[in-house]
């Protein structure tokens, strides 16, 4: 271990090892039919990534995601269909329509005081609207609509959008909030680009948005 990876607290004498980035890369799905699973995830519009020849591994990456899924023969001892994954979307209804367009059955619901209620959250509160679907093997995916992150969940120095759709949706939310801002102030805001930018960054990082 190199010297710059170890730090000693002179006051206590305790030694600390510097943290190393550990980025989630792949989740393995248990499937019974590799060809059928390949066809299914291709239909979702997920990117099929190149894998080493002869590895027997099939890899797909969801749009805008940093992590991927793997499946193939003898990759896991888990029971077929036992996996459950979570996907974040900026518009639960648009995501539902996209999946339904390729023949996938999707159930949309939101959290009510007495349990799940059919349909998206009436107020479209962040984290409250969900949808679920399964692949042919029974592996389950849960979609969650997240527009404003909880504090501390995202690096506040990094703001990015996975697609033009996500960016456009964020701009629409900023426009709606800015309209209310101008109503409160009673005047037009000539510096609206700065306001939009601050609002969109705050949404992603969980910081307090401008009002």
């Amino acid at each position: 271990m190199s010297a710059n990876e170890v730090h000693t607290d002179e006051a206590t004498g305790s030694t600390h090892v510097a943290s190393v980035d550990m980025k989630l890369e792949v989740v393995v799905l248990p499937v019974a039919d590799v060809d059928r699973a390949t066809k299914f995830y291709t239909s979702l519009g997920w990117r099929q990534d190149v894998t080493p020849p002869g590895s027997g591994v099939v890899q797909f990456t969801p749009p805008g995601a940093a992590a991927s899924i793997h499946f193939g023969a003898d990759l896991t001892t888990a029971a077929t269909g036992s996996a459950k994954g979570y996907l974040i979307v900026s518009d639960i209804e648009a995501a539902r329509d996209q999946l339904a367009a390729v023949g996938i059955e999707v159930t949309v619901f939101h959290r009510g005081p007495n349990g799940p209620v059919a349909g998206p959250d009436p107020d479209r509160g962040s984290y409250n609207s969900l949808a679920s679907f399964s692949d042919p093997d029974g592996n389950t995916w849960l979609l969650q609509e997240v527009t404003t992150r909880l504090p501390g969940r995202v690096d506040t120095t990094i703001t990015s959008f996975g697609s033009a759709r996500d960016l456009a949706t964020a701009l629409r939310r900023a426009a709606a909030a800015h309209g209310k801002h101008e109503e409160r102030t009673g005047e037009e805001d000539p510096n609206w680009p700065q306001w939009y930018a601050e609002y969109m960054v705050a949404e992603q990082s969980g910081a307090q948005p401008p009002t």
Side-chain angles (χ1 to χ4, degrees):
M1 184 177 294
S2 62
N4 62 357
E5 292 177 316
V6 179
H7 305 276
T8 301
D9 187 322
E10 295 182 359
T12 64
S14 59
T15 300
H16 306 280
V17 179
S19 71
V20 176
D21 285 351
M22 295 184 181
K23 300 175 182 179
L24 181 62
E25 182 74 10
V26 169
V27 175
V28 179
L29 297 188
V31 304
D33 188 322
V34 174
D35 290 338
R36 182 179 63 183
T38 299
K39 183 178 179 180
F40 176 81
Y41 286 102
T42 298
S43 75
L44 296 185
W46 293 15
R47 185 187 72 228
Q48 184 171 1
D49 301 321
V50 175
T51 54
S55 65
V57 173
V58 180
Q59 176 171 310
F60 282 89
T61 302
S68 306
I69 60 168
H70 267 178
F71 54 83
D74 302 322
L75 290 186
T76 177
T77 57
T80 299
S82 62
K84 184 174 184 179
Y86 291 78
L87 300 167
I88 298 304
V89 299
S90 62
D91 187 327
I92 200 77
E93 292 181 313
R96 185 239 357 246
D97 293 346
Q98 179 179 329
L99 292 167
V102 294
I104 297 172
E105 184 177 346
V106 185
T107 302
V108 178
F109 60 97
H110 65 277
R111 296 189 177 101
N114 299 313
V117 180
D121 175 37
D123 299 324
R124 299 303 284 270
S126 192
Y127 294 95
N128 293 340
S129 296
L130 304 107
S132 64
F133 69 95
S134 299
D135 70 11
D137 287 285
N139 296 303
T140 303
W141 291 98
L142 187 72
L143 306 178
Q144 187 170 37
E145 184 177 79
V146 176
T147 52
T148 302
R149 288 282 185 177
L150 292 172
R153 297 290 298 276
V154 175
D155 187 341
T156 57
T157 64
I158 301 174
T159 301
S160 62
F161 296 91
S163 67
R165 180 193 290 273
D166 278 0
L167 177 57
T169 302
L171 284 166
R172 282 193 288 270
R173 290 194 301 269
H178 188 258
K180 294 178 181 179
H181 163 73
E182 290 186 325
E183 288 179 7
R184 286 191 294 269
T185 62
E187 59 184 11
E188 292 186 3
D189 177 14
N191 196 31
W192 63 265
Q194 180 69 28
W195 198 99
Y196 274 41
E198 292 176 0
Y199 184 90
M200 292 163 67
V201 169
E203 265 201 332
Q204 283 215 347
S205 65
Q208 180 64 40
T211 57

